[in-house]
Amino acid sequence: MRGNCAAVFVRRALLAALLAGAVLLPHTRARDAEPAQSGPRPPQAQVPVPGVVVQAPEPRFVAPTRRDQIGRIWAPVMIDGRGPFRLVLDTGASGSAIIAQVATTLGLTPDLSHPVLVRGVTGNAVVPTIHADSLRVGDLEVRSVTLPIIADALGGAQGVLGTDGLSDKRIEIDFLHDRITIARSHGRSAPIGFITLSLERSGPGLLMVRGSVDQVKVHAVIDTGAQRSIGNEALRAALVSRHAQGTPDRIFDVTTAVQSGEMFISPPIVLGDIEIHGARITYGEVRIFEHWHLTREPALVIGMDALGLLDSLIIDYRLRELQLRPH
């Protein structure tokens, strides 16, 4: 492959797709929220947001990765029976969160007396919360939920949908038809034309598979909340010369912390029968690897730059497997 393109291949079969350019876009997601030990920073006043309204001729919920844009997955979520609000599906986040505009739309006043600590990719932040009676999308319904208020979400989304409540669910994401479905898992095997990847045992809700990069074994975290793929320092040490210089990049998240990093073209990334060629990995000492206890061995976050190349992605939490259909 040449230039800023990459491809996903089924091993021993020709299946290709284009990857977006090398510009690192902000990583915006909420991670685990914990009770904070200090006072919050109140959110800025915002104009109320309506439900799902898309003015531009674009997909409403599921967009593939192309040369000029990173793909994304947004779910139409009802909160206290109102909405739907577009929340980015974030398989790397345990809990859900919203931006201040949604709280204003719901008429809910942020609780400044019980702030929480939100863990981002690059840092942490103490934020206020709201309490909602219910959060619902498809067969997923979470009752009596505390929602941190974050500064921003991926690509203009109105919040983050984390993995809480998904342990018995099956999520079907169809990039070709702009469709996301969240339903109870009935243990169905992968449809014809799909490739199955088994999930490793890991932290609660974390999607992690065994893989390799240039014959280096890696723990690969499948993270739909990450726009770009990120490697830890152990992976960098195994793959990149100490004196090599990559393209300078910055990684952002919902905590407004900024982490400098370097981006390198990656050798082929192998996940079962899937190969990703020409991908770019940004390396940096990001905090999320520490939180996941993935600092000692090579680890890699597979973001939407690669996941958005698929035709379809099925996450079956009950079966603990991914079912993928490449182009």
Side-chain angles (χ1 to χ4, degrees), residues 149-325:
I149 298 177
I150 56 176
D152 192 14
L154 176 64
Q158 295 167 299
V160 167
L161 178 64
T163 61
D164 184 28
L166 293 177
S167 60
D168 63 342
K169 301 300 188 294
R170 179 182 178 91
I171 304 177
E172 299 188 11
I173 300 152
D174 187 338
F175 289 100
L176 295 181
H177 300 98
D178 188 17
R179 184 167 60 235
I180 177 172
T181 303
I182 300 178
R184 288 182 177 83
S185 170
H186 298 290
R188 301 202 326 258
S189 58
I192 296 175
F194 281 69
I195 294 170
T196 298
L197 299 179
S198 298
L199 296 172
E200 287 189 74
R201 293 292 172 182
S202 59
L206 200 61
L207 303 180
M208 191 161 67
V209 299
R210 279 283 184 178
S212 65
V213 184
D214 199 22
Q215 299 185 341
V216 175
K217 293 182 179 179
V218 298
H219 299 283
V221 177
I222 307 301
D223 192 346
T224 59
Q227 292 197 19
R228 284 288 182 183
S229 298
I230 307 172
N232 68 357
E233 289 301 297
L235 181 60
R236 175 175 180 156
L239 295 179
V240 181
S241 167
R242 290 177 55 190
H243 304 291
Q245 291 187 342
T247 303
D249 275 308
R250 294 187 301 165
I251 306 171
F252 302 83
D253 67 15
V254 296
T255 70
T256 69
V258 180
Q259 173 69 51
S260 297
E262 284 189 287
M263 185 169 59
F264 294 85
I265 296 178
S266 172
I269 301 170
V270 179
L271 307 174
D273 283 338
I274 292 285
E275 288 190 5
I276 304 170
H277 289 251
R280 285 161 170 76
I281 299 176
T282 295
Y283 297 96
E285 296 181 357
V286 295
R287 290 194 175 187
I288 199 62
F289 286 117
E290 295 179 8
H291 180 60
W292 288 338
H293 304 292
L294 293 175
T295 57
R296 295 185 178 181
E297 298 179 345
L300 173 66
V301 169
I302 304 291
M304 287 302 299
D305 53 345
L307 299 175
L309 300 174
L310 300 166
D311 277 356
S312 296
L313 166 64
I314 297 174
I315 305 167
D316 198 308
Y317 281 91
R318 180 183 172 189
L319 290 179
R320 296 195 56 79
E321 66 183 31
L322 304 177
Q323 300 171 6
L324 317 175
R325 186 176 67 191

Side-chain angles (χ1 to χ4, degrees), residues 36-43 110-116 125-129 149:
Q37 302 301 317
S38 59
R41 294 177 297 179
D111 184 353
L112 304 181
S113 63
H114 295 88
V116 297
V126 177
V127 301
T129 63
I149 298 177

Side-chain angles (χ1 to χ4, degrees), residues 41-102:
R41 294 177 297 179
Q44 298 179 351
Q46 301 284 354
V47 178
V49 203
V52 175
V53 176
V54 179
Q55 302 292 347
E58 63 165 341
R60 298 180 71 203
F61 299 112
V62 177
T65 292
R66 303 190 185 281
R67 286 184 62 92
D68 59 345
Q69 69 175 17
I70 299 295
R72 50 103 175 109
I73 303 168
W74 290 347
V77 178
M78 304 294 291
I79 301 175
D80 284 352
R82 299 183 63 183
F85 301 100
R86 286 201 295 184
L87 272 56
V88 59
L89 176 68
D90 188 348
T91 57
S94 61
S96 300
I98 58 172
I99 62 174
Q101 293 172 316
V102 174

